[in-house]
Amino acid sequence: MKLLRYGEAGAEKPGLLDAAGQIRDLSAHSTDIAGAVLTPEGLARLAALDPDSLPRVEGTPRLGPCVGAIGKMVCVGLNYADHAAEAGMAIPPEPILFFKATSAICGPNDDIRIPRGAQKTDWEVELGIVIGKPASYVDEARAMEHVAGYCVVNDVSEREFQIERAGQWVKGKSADTFGPTGPWMVTADEIADPQALAMWLEVDGHRYQDGSTATMVYGVRHLVSYISRFMSLQPGDIISTGTPPGVGMGQTPPVFLRAGQQIACGVEGLGTQRQSTIAWDA
């Protein structure tokens, strides 16, 4: 299944994308794509529905983040061997974890606002893991039982805030609109191998990122198990798993986002995002 949320920000309704690419309304069966709906039992109930029996949503409504009420977004740094090489940094001996504030999460096609004073705003297309079953001290052998599905995340980053100023990465990752998520969550049963997905990102039609989840240092199974040792993972939490090479700071010379640009990015089988960049005060 491809589950989504559509409508105005803060008032999104739950939906399903049918085989013809048409949005179907799930409001009669769920209040949101969140929490218990993402558990194995909740997904089984939705999977039993006949999409043709659901109301058709007319037009092209705004898409919100594909998961609602996200408790936390855990991000993984330097998790692609070729990206670490691009950044001139060693492959970490274990996953680097940081958080993106949930207030940064927005719809897949919402505008990205460049923060005041920002000079080095960058892009990162990533595979997002959506947790569906509570996980705490999970063995790798059973880690995939806790995955509800996958989605596209653009881990937008302000590099000066992240790297050149004191403190943790979170302040370079958490400006409002720095977490486009979606367009939909694809349930795990539709993704045969999450470690074999092509991924890409373009700015103004120029392809900067053209990679694959195959070059992840720490794969989905390991990340779910590893993170669950340090914190419980709850239904609706998202793990953003790192980015392949081609980010702006890795260009020669570096290239960063400015207002008035167009971004497109996607992960194989998970859909495409499209954003415009605007000034913070626009």
Side-chain angles (χ1 to χ4, degrees), residues 111-135:
D111 291 340
I112 291 174
R113 298 169 66 193
I114 307 296
R116 293 175 183 170
Q119 299 294 323
K120 298 181 179 181
T121 303
D122 207 344
W123 55 82
E124 295 189 10
V125 63
E126 306 202 358
L127 172 70
I129 306 168
V130 181
I131 299 298
K133 180 180 176 182

Side-chain angles (χ1 to χ4, degrees), residues 181-200:
T181 301
W184 32 76
M185 184 198 84
V186 179
T187 51
D189 60 293
E190 293 196 5
I191 302 300
D193 184 359
Q195 305 306 151
L197 303 177
M199 52 203 311
W200 58 275

